[in-house]
C-alpha cells in the first residue's frame, strides 16, 4: 500500500520521546476448549531483540512440509459468518457437539467471521449434515454444500457480548511512524516495520483456508486437484493486505491416472483433446470462472483474463477480504516461492531489509498496485537478495551454490527450466557476516544509487529460473532515473545522520522515518549536485543493461566489466 499523508509527520510531535517504549495494544488469539490460551503481546521484547518474524514463529523446515501441514489444517477448518454480538462460549459449545475443536479466531471483513479448526476432518461432515439451505420468499438459493456457513441466532435479543477479533490489516501510517520514532535504533526500526507488516498466523491460516474452499469447488471437475497458494502468501515476504495468488495443480490427477496396467491391458480414461496446453488452460479456467461466478459463496467481481501471458481468473473473496488470482499448473512460480522462502529463513536480516526497501519504494511511488512502468516488488526483492549475496562475507548463498548442495531428491526440471536447488535448510551453512541492518540499508542505497555505470553494467534480468523472462522490461526511463535519484538521496540522508543524529528531545523524524518522507524543497538533495550529463548517461547505461544477455560474474567484455545479478 502507498503511504498517504506521510508529510503530516513533520507536524507531529512523534520523535521527542523516541527512547520511551510505547505501550502497544494486545492482540489476543482466541483459543478454544482443550487448547492453551495464548495472549501474544506485540511489545514484550526488550530493546534490540525485536521479534524478526517468520523464522522465530515457525521451525525452519522444508517448504513442502510447511505447505502440506497448512493444507491439512485448512481441510479441517470451516469459515462461519457470525452475528455481530455473540457469546463466544456458547458458540464454541454449539460447535463442539460436532467434534472437538483444535483452535479458532474471529476477524472482521464485511461482518464478523470465525475460522474454526476441528481436530478431525470428519467433524465437518457432521456439521454439514446438521446445516440446511436457506430460503426466502423473493429469491431462490442455489444449493451448494460448502465449508462456508452462516450462523443465525434464534433469539436476536439473547446475546449481548461481543467477541474480540484479530486484525487482518497493518496499522495506520500515523501509528506506524510513532512506533518507528520510539525505536532505539535504525536496526530496531527495520525490525519493527517487519513485525507490523508481515503476515500474521491468523492471516496465513485464512489464506490457506480460502484456497481450500476454492479447491472444494474445483474438485467437482477434477477430484484429485490441489489449489495451492504461491507468491507473497507463502514465501515469507508477504505484507498484510497483499493479494492471494493461487494455482490449480492437476499433476496429482495426471499421476494417478498414468500407466494403470493390469496384465496385458492398458486402461485409459476417455478424454477430449485440444491443440495446445495453453488452450487447455484457457478452457479449464473459463469453466472454473463461471463456477466461481455462479456458485461460489462469497466470490464476487469474477474476471476471466484468458489471453494474458499467463491466463488467470481474478476475483474478490468477500468473506476473507482477499483479492485472488487463480492460474493453473503454475509450478515454476511455486518453485520461485520456495527459493524465496529459503532465503528468508536463512538470515533474519533478509526479510527486514526487503520489507523496508519495499516500504521506501511505495512511499515515493516507485512501485504501484496498478500495472505500468514502475519497478515491481519482486524486482526490488531480487535486488536486495543480489546485494546480500555480494557482501563480504556473503549473507546469502547464490543459486549456483544452492544447486551444488542439492541431491537426487532435489533435482527438478519444469518446462525445460532447471529448478534444482537444495531444499533442506539444515544443509546450508549459516553466514559469518555480522553487519547491522543500518549499515546494510545505507550501503544498499549507495550500491544501486552510486554504481559506476561508466565502467560496469548490471543485468537485472532477475527471474531465477525463467532466465529468458526479463521482469524489469516494463520499467520506463523516467522511473529508472527516479529510482537512482532517490537511492542516492536516501544514502546521503543516512550518511548525514551518522554525524548529526537528532537528540532525544528533537522533534525531527530520524532514521527509516526520514527516508519515508517525500522530497522537500528545503532538503539538501544530493541529486541536485550531479550534472545533467551524468544523469543522462546513467539512464542510458541502465536501459542498455535491461536489454543485455545474462553474463557470468566479472567477465571482461569489450574492456567493460559486467556484473550479473543471477541469484
Amino acid at each position: 500500500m502507498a503511504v498517504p499523508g506521510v508529510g503530516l509527520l513533520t507536524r507531529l510531535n512523534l520523535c521527542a520521546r523516541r527512547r520511551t517504549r510505547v505501550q502497544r495494544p494486545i492482540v489476543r488469539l482466541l483459543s478454544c476448549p482443550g487448547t492453551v490460551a495464548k495472549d501474544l503481546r506485540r511489545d514484550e521484547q526488550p530493546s534490540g531483540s525485536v521479534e524478526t518474524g517468520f523464522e522465530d514463529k515457525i521451525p525452519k523446515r522444508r517448504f513442502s512440509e510447511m505447505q502440506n501441514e497448512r493444507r491439512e489444517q485448512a481441510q479441517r477448518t470451516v469459515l462461519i459468518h457470525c452475528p455481530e454480538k455473540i457469546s463466544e462460549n456458547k458458540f464454541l459449545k454449539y460447535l463442539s457437539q460436532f467434534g472437538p475443536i483444535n483452535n479458532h479466531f474471529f476477524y472482521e471483513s464485511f461482518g464478523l467471521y470465525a475460522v474454526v479448526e476441528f481436530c478431525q476432518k470428519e467433524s465437518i461432515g457432521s456439521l454439514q449434515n446438521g446445516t440446511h439451505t436457506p430460503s426466502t420468499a423473493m429469491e431462490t438459493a442455489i444449493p451448494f454444500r460448502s465449508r462456508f456457513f452462516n450462523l443465525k441466532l434464534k433469539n436476536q435479543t439473547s446475546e449481548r457480548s461481543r467477541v474480540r477479533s484479530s486484525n487482518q490489516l497493518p496499522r495506520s501510517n500515523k501509528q506506524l511512524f510513532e512506533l518507528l520514532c520510539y525505536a532505539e535504533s535504525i536496526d530496531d526500526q527495520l525490525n519493527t516495520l517487519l513485525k507490523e507488516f508481515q503476515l500474521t498466523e491468523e492471516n496465513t491460516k485464512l489464506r490457506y483456508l480460502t484456497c481450500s474452499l476454492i479447491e472444494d469447488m474445483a474438485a467437482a471437475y477434477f477430484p484429485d486437484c490441489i489449489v495451492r497458494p504461491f507468491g507473497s502468501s507463502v514465501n515469507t515476504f508477504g505484507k498484510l493486505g497483499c493479494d492471494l495468488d493461487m494455482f490449480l495443480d492437476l499433476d496429482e490427477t495426471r499421476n494417478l491416472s498414468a500407466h494403470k496396467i493390469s496384465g496385458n491391458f492398458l486402461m485409459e480414461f476417455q478424454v477430449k483433446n485440444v491443440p495446445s496446453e495453453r488452450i487447455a488452460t484457457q478452457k479449464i479456467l473459463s469453466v472454473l470462472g463461471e463456477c466461481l461466478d455462479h456458485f461460489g459463496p462469497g466470490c464476487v467481481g469474477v474476471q476471466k483474463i484468458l489471453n494474458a501471458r499467463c491466463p488467470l481468473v481474478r476475483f474478490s473473496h468477500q468473506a476473507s477480504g482477499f483479492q485472488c488470482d487463480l492460474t493453473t499448473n503454475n509450478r515454476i512460480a511455486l518453485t520461485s516461492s520456495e527459493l524465496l522462502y529459503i532465503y528468508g529463513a536463512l538470515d533474519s536480516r533478509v526479510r527486514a531489509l526487503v520489507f523496508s526497501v519495499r516500504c521506501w519504494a511505495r512511499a515515493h511511488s516507485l512501485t504501484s498496485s496498478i500495472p505500468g512502468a514502475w519497478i515491481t516488488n519482486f524486482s526490488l526483492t531480487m535486488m536486495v537478495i543480489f546485494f546480500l549475496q555480494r557482501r563480504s562475507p556473503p549473507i546469502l548463498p547464490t543459486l549456483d551454490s544452492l544447486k551444488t548442495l542439492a541431491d537426487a531428491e532435489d533435482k527438478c526440471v519444469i518446462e525445460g527450466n532447471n529448478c534444482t536447488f537444495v531444499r533442506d535448510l539444515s544443509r546450508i551453512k549459516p553466514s559469518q557476516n555480522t553487519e547491522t541492518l543500518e549499515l546494510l540499508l545505507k550501503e544498499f542505497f549507495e550500491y544501486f544509487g552510486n554504481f559506476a555505470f561508466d565502467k560496469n553494467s548490471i543485468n537485472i534480468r532477475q527471474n531465477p529460473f525463467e532466465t529468458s523472462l526479463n521482469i524489469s522490461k516494463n520499467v520506463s526511463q523516467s522511473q529508472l532515473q527516479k529510482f537512482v535519484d532517490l537511492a542516492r538521496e536516501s544514502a546521503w540522508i543516512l550518511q548525514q545522520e551518522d554525524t548529526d543524529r537528532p537528540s532525544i528531545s528533537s522533534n525531527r523524524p530520524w532514521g527509516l522515518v526520514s527516508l519515508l518522507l517525500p522530497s522537500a524543497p528545503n532538503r539538501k538533495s544530493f541529486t541536485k549536485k550531479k550534472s545533467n550529463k551524468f544523469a543522462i548517461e546513467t539512464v542510458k547505461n541502465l536501459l542498455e543493461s535491461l536489454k543485455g544477455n545474462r553474463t557470468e560474474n566479472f567477465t571482461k567484455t569489450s574492456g567493460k566489466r559486467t556484473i550479473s545479478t543471477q541469484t
Side-chain angles (χ1 to χ4, degrees):
M1 296 175 63
V3 187
V6 69
L8 293 177
L9 184 61
T10 57
R11 297 195 297 270
L12 297 174
N13 186 12
L14 301 180
C15 301
R17 305 179 307 278
R18 74 168 185 272
R19 287 175 173 78
T20 302
R21 301 300 294 175
V22 64
Q23 296 298 316
R24 306 179 194 174
I26 297 174
V27 176
R28 186 165 65 99
L29 303 184
L30 301 175
S31 63
C32 56
T35 63
V36 178
K38 295 182 179 180
D39 289 343
L40 294 186
R41 301 178 183 270
R42 304 177 77 177
D43 188 57
E44 283 196 341
Q45 306 232 4
S47 174
S49 62
V50 175
E51 183 185 70
T52 55
F54 188 88
E55 72 282 352
D56 296 327
K57 295 181 179 179
I58 299 178
K60 292 182 179 180
R61 59 189 188 277
R62 289 178 181 246
F63 181 77
S64 58
E65 295 173 350
M66 180 273 295
Q67 284 252 306
N68 292 336
E69 179 182 316
R70 291 288 190 184
R71 180 170 179 264
E72 192 275 332
Q73 287 178 341
Q75 291 175 330
R76 292 185 280 107
T77 304
V78 297
L79 179 62
I80 304 175
H81 183 213
C82 302
E84 288 189 4
K85 294 184 178 181
I86 185 174
S87 168
E88 182 181 346
N89 291 334
K90 291 181 180 179
F91 171 76
L92 294 174
K93 182 178 180 180
Y94 167 74
L95 290 179
S96 294
Q97 66 180 309
F98 303 106
I101 298 172
N102 190 40
N103 60 60
H104 75 283
F105 63 90
F106 293 90
Y107 72 93
E108 292 185 2
S109 173
F110 299 99
L112 181 66
Y113 292 85
V115 173
V116 181
E117 178 191 337
F118 286 97
C119 294
Q120 291 95 29
K121 190 176 179 180
E122 293 73 20
S123 301
I124 296 177
S126 299
L127 176 59
Q128 289 175 325
N129 292 334
T131 304
H132 72 278
T133 301
S135 60
T136 62
M138 302 299 295
E139 297 178 319
T140 300
I142 298 176
F144 185 77
R145 186 183 174 96
S146 73
R147 286 182 287 138
F148 182 14
F149 302 92
N150 186 43
L151 180 66
K152 291 186 176 181
L153 296 176
K154 294 181 179 179
N155 185 354
Q156 296 291 336
T157 60
S158 62
E159 304 297 344
R160 298 294 182 184
S161 61
R162 186 182 182 93
V163 298
R164 292 189 59 184
S165 57
S166 65
N167 189 19
Q168 302 299 314
L169 293 174
R171 296 180 187 269
S172 68
N173 293 325
K174 179 180 177 181
Q175 292 174 326
L176 175 64
F177 290 144
E178 286 177 344
L179 290 176
L180 296 180
C181 281
Y182 290 140
E184 297 288 337
S185 64
I186 292 180
D187 281 47
D188 195 17
Q189 286 183 329
L190 268 67
N191 281 321
T192 297
L193 185 140
L194 168 63
K195 184 178 179 181
E196 294 300 321
F197 276 175
Q198 68 182 352
L199 299 184
T200 62
E201 173 69 11
E202 301 98 321
N203 193 270
T204 300
K205 286 186 175 182
L206 186 58
R207 289 172 183 271
Y208 276 88
L209 174 58
T210 302
C211 288
S212 188
L213 295 175
I214 302 303
E215 180 182 309
D216 289 348
M217 302 190 66
Y221 299 94
F222 308 101
D224 298 306
C225 72
I226 301 175
V227 174
R228 302 183 187 274
F230 69 94
S232 56
S233 295
V234 298
N235 63 20
T236 74
F237 292 92
K239 172 186 172 184
L240 282 174
C242 67
D243 293 348
L244 173 56
D245 296 317
M246 59 181 81
F247 81 96
L248 177 68
D249 188 353
L250 299 176
D251 280 2
E252 292 297 322
T253 300
R254 293 190 177 99
N255 293 338
L256 289 173
S257 62
H259 305 298
K260 292 184 180 296
I261 300 175
S262 178
N264 293 327
F265 299 97
L266 174 63
M267 190 69 72
E268 295 180 336
F269 287 109
Q270 283 282 353
V271 296
K272 284 195 171 184
N273 297 310
V274 294
S276 68
E277 184 173 353
R278 179 176 175 83
I279 293 177
T281 295
Q282 291 172 328
K283 288 183 176 294
I284 291 170
L285 290 177
S286 179
V287 171
L288 290 180
E290 292 293 322
C291 183
L292 292 172
D293 194 18
H294 295 304
F295 309 131
C299 298
V300 299
V302 178
Q303 304 175 59
K304 296 185 291 183
I305 309 174
L306 304 180
N307 291 323
R309 187 186 68 87
C310 182
L312 59 92
V313 174
R314 178 166 293 163
F315 62 96
S316 297
H317 192 256
Q318 199 169 43
S320 64
F322 297 138
Q323 296 293 320
C324 305
D325 283 350
L326 173 65
T327 59
T328 182
N329 285 339
N330 196 3
R331 296 195 64 82
I332 198 165
L334 185 65
T335 305
S336 295
S337 302
E338 182 173 12
L339 179 63
L340 290 180
Y341 171 89
I342 290 174
Y343 279 139
L346 287 177
D347 195 290
S348 62
R349 292 169 291 182
V350 179
R351 296 173 62 241
L353 190 59
V354 167
F355 272 69
S356 296
V357 169
R358 284 181 173 184
C359 184
W360 166 83
R362 180 54 65 91
H364 295 285
S365 301
L366 288 170
T367 57
S368 174
S369 58
I370 303 173
W374 300 277
I375 299 173
T376 65
N377 278 331
F378 185 64
S379 295
L380 290 172
T381 302
M382 302 309 292
M383 293 172 75
V384 172
I385 289 175
F386 171 65
F387 166 75
L388 296 177
Q389 289 172 339
R390 294 188 55 78
R391 305 305 294 167
S392 180
I395 293 177
L396 291 177
T398 63
L399 180 56
D400 286 341
S401 64
L402 294 181
K403 288 180 179 179
T404 61
L405 295 173
D407 54 23
E409 184 183 0
D410 298 318
K411 186 176 180 180
C412 178
V413 178
I414 302 175
E415 300 173 2
N417 299 292
N418 187 359
C419 301
T420 301
F421 57 90
V422 62
R423 264 73 176 180
D424 188 352
L425 288 165
S426 65
R427 296 174 59 190
I428 306 173
K429 186 178 180 180
S431 171
Q432 300 301 310
N433 185 298
T434 59
E435 293 175 308
T436 65
L437 280 170
E438 178 177 355
L439 177 63
L440 291 173
L441 182 64
K442 181 177 67 175
E443 297 209 358
F444 172 85
F445 291 128
E446 289 181 351
Y447 184 82
F448 286 107
N450 296 298
F451 195 82
F453 293 108
D454 57 334
K455 296 179 180 179
N456 305 313
S457 64
I458 297 176
N459 182 346
I460 55 176
R461 191 181 298 260
Q462 295 164 325
N463 189 289
F465 303 116
E466 293 181 281
T467 55
S468 62
L469 177 61
N470 186 349
I471 60 173
S472 299
K473 65 181 180 181
N474 62 300
V475 180
S476 68
Q477 175 177 336
S478 61
Q479 286 298 309
L480 284 172
Q481 181 64 65
K482 184 176 181 180
F483 172 81
V484 171
D485 289 347
L486 287 169
R488 291 182 169 210
E489 184 177 273
S490 297
W492 180 82
I493 292 171
L494 293 176
Q495 287 172 352
Q496 296 304 304
E497 290 205 351
D498 285 343
T499 58
D500 185 26
R501 181 153 297 191
S503 63
I504 296 178
S505 61
S506 173
N507 239 9
R508 288 167 48 196
W510 68 284
L512 180 60
V513 179
S514 63
L515 301 185
L516 302 180
L517 292 172
S519 297
N522 59 351
R523 181 183 291 179
K524 297 178 181 179
S525 176
F526 182 85
T527 60
K528 292 180 180 179
K529 300 180 180 180
K530 69 184 185 306
S531 66
N532 291 333
K533 180 179 179 180
F534 182 79
I536 294 173
E537 187 66 22
T538 295
V539 175
K540 180 180 178 181
N541 285 327
L542 261 176
L543 290 173
E544 288 177 352
S545 69
L546 287 172
K547 301 175 183 177
N549 295 324
R550 282 174 56 230
T551 56
E552 296 180 356
N553 286 348
F554 299 102
T555 300
K556 299 284 184 176
T557 57
S558 302
K560 178 182 289 188
R561 189 175 63 176
T562 304
I563 298 178
S564 170
T565 60
Q566 170 62 21
T567 57

